[in-house]
Amino acid sequence: MRNERNKNQKKVKRVIDGYIDYKDSKQLGRFLTDQGKIIPRRITGLTAKQHRELVQAIKRARQLAILPFVSEAVK
């Protein structure tokens, strides 16, 4: 059963080159779902350190109104 679940789960490799900037909404948007949720590390393929930095940048961008907390589609 575990193998079936892994086959169905789509793993998308996303790469971050260098510094994660909270002002770069286009780069941060690649790591959000259509609902505005942060995509988990096991799906993105990032390292733990990169994912922590990414989450911090996304949360900072949300506080500064660069990224929305919730997508327009959900509203």
Side-chain angles (χ1 to χ4, degrees):
M1 185 159 190
R2 184 175 181 184
N3 291 335
E4 291 176 24
R5 186 173 34 170
N6 289 341
K7 288 178 186 177
N8 293 337
Q9 186 180 20
K10 187 160 61 168
K11 189 163 189 175
V12 180
K13 280 286 191 179
R14 291 175 170 84
V15 179
I16 295 180
D17 296 329
Y19 179 68
I20 301 172
D21 190 13
Y22 68 92
K23 295 173 281 195
D24 188 3
S25 63
K26 190 172 185 179
Q27 181 185 19
L28 296 177
R30 293 184 355 205
F31 295 93
L32 297 174
T33 64
D34 55 347
Q35 296 178 346
K37 295 180 180 180
I38 300 171
I39 298 174
R41 178 175 167 252
R42 59 184 159 74
I43 296 175
T44 60
L46 296 176
T47 63
K49 183 177 180 179
Q50 285 177 330
H51 197 263
R52 282 193 305 269
E53 291 174 0
L54 174 74
V55 168
Q56 184 179 22
I58 290 173
K59 289 180 179 181
R60 186 171 288 153
R62 284 175 174 167
Q63 288 292 324
L64 295 172
I66 298 171
L67 290 176
F69 281 94
V70 179
S71 170
E72 291 295 324
V74 176
K75 292 179 185 178

